[in-house]
Amino acid sequence: MEDRAFLRYALEQSFSRPIVDSAEGLSMQATDAHGYVFRDIRNRNVLDYVLPSSQIKKYFKPIDSDTRHVMGLYAEYDLYKHDVRENIVIPEDYAEVAAARKQYHLLSVNRQAAQKKRICARVIPAAFTEKMRELHPQYRLTMQNIEVFLNTHQEAVNLSLINDFAVAYRQIMRHFKPTHPLFWLNKKRMNYYINEAAQILKAACPLPEDFDETHRFIGENSRLFKKSALMCQENCRTLIAMVQKMAREPKLLDMVQILLADRQKYAEAFNAYRKEHQVSDVSKISTVRHGAQKLFECYAFLNYLNGVRFAFENKYLDECPESRQPALPTVSPQEEVKKVIKIVIESKKLTTNGSKIAQIYTQAFKDYTDALQTIAKIIQPA
């Protein structure tokens, strides 16, 4: 396979099939229709983050650009192919191997593995990995502080939850009009499914794991209407996820059901709840909740990008089509380890000049930092 074709393949596979397993408390699930779904399994205040397949495919354009124009990329790849051909290995029982593996984060200690870091450093900022290691505890501590803050304003949180649902429901229902026939046909199903979910939760029962799969929409098996049906399904999934955040509050679930039946009665119920509990800081609490959601989405996306980096470095570059000699144990393990360490250290000094992929990583960190600063200003003590 020609060099550019292979590097493009390796990067596309990495973006399409990342390996995300380094963030404690974060789960990633692949879905056929929706790309990847990220969940913070420790924090009940945030909704799942969906990274759709359509968004992932947009990253193929910067991949194409980088495999055409990035300075130094092919020089690094040529060195890697040379190391792959030679296939020099260091005996695993050599004492310094374990230390080097841990200190320099290598799955295997050899020149090939070290050179892969140089290839990555041409398209992914070399400092990214270290920043991610610092970011994990920072994010977790921030989310713990947010949870403590919200727990002291529970009634305002409740009103914020139901208000967010009402806003999202009204926006989604704008599509469900006679001018959109398939949406109109699915309107009753949408309302029925949401009402059913609220009723199950009011009985203090969790929703069945297969709730989505067993609640379908008209048109899913039609080539002409499949896209609209999938939109209904996605909208329903979003609304039900919001309803699940109210599982411990029967009064909120009552208001969900009232809204489905009569918007005027819902407005009266909302105002009555607000007056009864004398809630006055809903706006501030909503800002905190929305800020927490933004922070989680930025964090999840950074973990996705880290999974892309890991997959590129440790899986797809290993599929290099270069022929390999039988493994040749080095005659000088000490010197070989020094060479490996030198390559890794040098990789940290490389730049990503001209890389559009690197711009994605840089922007993602900026978005996370901005979200973190915004939320910190609100929840930190005066």
Side-chain angles (χ1 to χ4, degrees):
M1 185 184 292
E2 185 259 334
D3 289 354
R4 178 173 173 268
F6 171 71
L7 287 175
R8 180 171 179 169
Y9 158 81
L11 284 165
E12 287 180 351
Q13 289 298 304
S14 300
F15 274 88
S16 299
R17 297 177 176 84
I19 300 173
V20 179
D21 58 4
S22 61
E24 185 180 355
L26 180 75
S27 71
M28 182 188 80
Q29 179 182 2
T31 64
D32 292 336
H34 307 289
Y36 294 100
V37 178
F38 293 85
R39 176 172 300 158
D40 187 332
I41 58 180
R42 289 183 172 181
N43 194 304
R44 65 185 183 90
N45 293 308
V46 293
L47 298 168
D48 295 352
Y49 168 61
V50 179
L51 182 63
S53 301
S54 58
Q55 181 62 41
I56 293 172
K57 289 179 181 178
K58 291 180 181 179
Y59 300 134
F60 287 11
K61 187 173 182 179
I63 289 172
D64 180 66
S65 175
D66 281 12
T67 52
R68 290 176 183 271
H69 305 300
V70 166
M71 296 286 292
L73 179 61
Y74 291 100
E76 305 298 352
Y77 184 57
D78 283 341
L79 289 173
Y80 174 61
K81 289 192 296 181
H82 171 76
D83 291 335
V84 167
R85 282 195 301 270
E86 284 195 332
N87 201 16
I88 294 175
V89 298
I90 305 171
E92 284 292 320
D93 58 359
Y94 183 62
E96 294 183 27
V97 166
R101 181 186 293 113
K102 182 178 181 180
Q103 183 175 354
Y104 297 101
H105 307 286
L106 293 162
L107 296 189
S108 56
V109 181
N110 52 50
R111 272 184 269 169
Q112 302 97 293
Q115 187 60 34
K116 286 189 293 184
K117 290 189 179 293
R118 289 183 64 99
I119 296 173
C120 286
R122 290 298 184 181
V123 293
I124 297 172
F128 178 81
T129 307
E130 290 299 326
K131 286 183 179 179
M132 285 300 297
R133 294 191 184 99
E134 297 171 1
L135 183 143
H136 294 312
Q138 176 197 66
Y139 168 81
R140 190 53 57 197
L141 178 60
T142 302
M143 279 302 194
Q144 288 173 358
N145 291 338
I146 290 171
E147 186 167 13
V148 169
F149 180 85
L150 293 178
N151 284 343
T152 62
H153 302 78
Q154 190 57 56
E155 299 302 341
V157 169
N158 287 347
L159 279 181
S160 178
L161 284 168
I162 188 63
N163 187 61
D164 282 359
F165 173 82
V167 170
Y169 176 78
R170 292 187 189 108
Q171 290 176 341
I172 288 172
M173 282 297 117
R174 289 173 185 171
H175 296 287
F176 290 76
K177 297 178 179 179
T179 50
H180 298 80
L182 188 68
F183 285 108
W184 184 251
L185 288 173
N186 277 315
K187 183 176 181 178
K188 286 187 178 180
R189 290 195 179 205
M190 174 80 77
N191 286 334
Y192 180 83
Y193 296 161
I194 296 170
N195 187 74
E196 181 184 0
Q199 196 63 35
I200 292 172
L201 294 172
K202 281 170 63 176
C205 298
L207 292 186
E209 292 185 3
D210 62 348
F211 190 89
D212 289 341
E213 288 72 20
T214 56
H215 292 69
R216 316 305 294 185
F217 288 90
I218 298 170
E220 289 185 8
N221 298 320
S222 166
R223 184 176 299 179
L224 183 61
F225 297 114
K226 184 174 183 179
K227 184 176 180 180
S228 297
L230 289 176
M231 285 181 63
C232 291
Q233 187 182 46
E234 180 59 30
N235 289 333
C236 189
R237 181 182 290 110
T238 297
L239 292 172
I240 288 177
M242 298 177 81
V243 171
Q244 285 181 287
K245 295 299 179 185
M246 299 179 264
R248 303 177 186 180
E249 300 291 339
K251 288 187 177 180
L252 299 187
L253 296 172
D254 285 339
M255 279 195 271
V256 167
Q257 294 177 312
I258 292 171
L259 175 62
L260 299 176
D262 190 318
R263 295 189 184 187
Q264 181 59 41
K265 289 184 178 179
Y266 161 77
E268 294 171 359
F270 181 90
N271 290 330
Y273 185 97
R274 185 169 191 164
K275 184 177 180 180
E276 176 187 354
H277 297 281
Q278 298 182 341
V279 182
S280 60
D281 53 356
V282 178
S283 178
K284 180 179 179 179
I285 296 305
S286 292
T287 300
V288 173
R289 289 187 55 253
H290 298 160
Q293 184 67 37
K294 177 65 176 178
L295 184 66
F296 167 62
E297 292 176 1
C298 292
Y299 176 73
F301 184 61
L302 281 172
N303 277 279
Y304 162 77
L305 292 178
N306 196 34
V308 170
R309 177 205 59 79
F310 186 90
F312 181 56
E313 177 182 334
N314 296 295
K315 181 177 181 180
Y316 295 107
L317 281 176
D318 284 342
E319 297 179 16
C320 169
E322 196 72 13
S323 60
R324 292 161 170 77
Q325 300 287 346
L328 178 64
T330 179
V331 297
S332 179
Q334 186 176 16
E335 291 302 313
E336 192 67 20
V337 169
K338 288 181 180 179
K339 291 178 182 178
V340 170
I341 292 173
K342 182 181 179 182
I343 294 170
V344 174
I345 292 174
E346 288 176 346
S347 73
K348 297 179 180 180
K349 301 175 184 177
L350 298 179
T351 64
T352 56
N353 291 342
S355 170
K356 294 188 180 298
I357 293 174
Q359 292 174 15
I360 298 171
Y361 281 73
T362 301
Q363 185 62 48
F365 253 114
K366 183 181 183 305
D367 292 342
Y368 173 84
T369 301
D370 290 347
L372 182 66
Q373 291 175 348
T374 299
I375 200 74
K377 289 177 182 178
I378 304 173
I379 66 172
Q380 66 185 4

